[in-house]
Amino acid sequence: MRGLIIEGIVVEKGEAKLVKTRYGPALVSYAIIYDETGAIRLNLWRGQIQKVKVGAKIRVVNAFVKKFRGRLELNVGGDGRIEVVEE
């Protein structure tokens, strides 16, 4: 699924870690966001990590879902963004 707009509350956030990518080193983390339909893991890269805080309501625009290691994960598209709705 592509081009999604998802809103939810951040209920958990993982520690950032440095990984090697084909574009060079990058920080990566994740957040679990929850709404009335359930919860999903949102992958966070670079500057997105500082933007997302536990307890905040966020909107993810132009997101896509992929299956990774048997579970669905939410990702921000190249022209997507994360907006903080309420802190």
Side-chain angles (χ1 to χ4, degrees), residues 22-41:
R22 63 181 173 197
Y23 305 109
L27 284 175
V28 65
S29 185
Y30 72 90
I32 305 295
I33 59 172
Y34 173 82
D35 70 4
E36 66 277 352
T37 64
I40 192 166
R41 179 183 169 124

Side-chain angles (χ1 to χ4, degrees), residues 25-77:
L27 284 175
V28 65
S29 185
Y30 72 90
I32 305 295
I33 59 172
Y34 173 82
D35 70 4
E36 66 277 352
T37 64
I40 192 166
R41 179 183 169 124
L42 169 64
N43 291 315
L44 303 169
W45 290 89
R46 299 176 181 89
Q48 297 170 344
I49 297 169
Q50 290 79 28
K51 187 177 254 192
V52 173
K53 301 199 181 342
V54 173
K57 182 175 185 179
I58 63 170
R59 178 181 302 121
V60 185
V61 179
N62 196 29
F64 64 95
V65 175
K66 288 182 86 170
K67 196 174 214 179
F68 181 71
R69 295 186 180 167
R71 68 174 177 219
L72 295 176
E73 293 185 343
L74 188 63
N75 297 275
V76 181

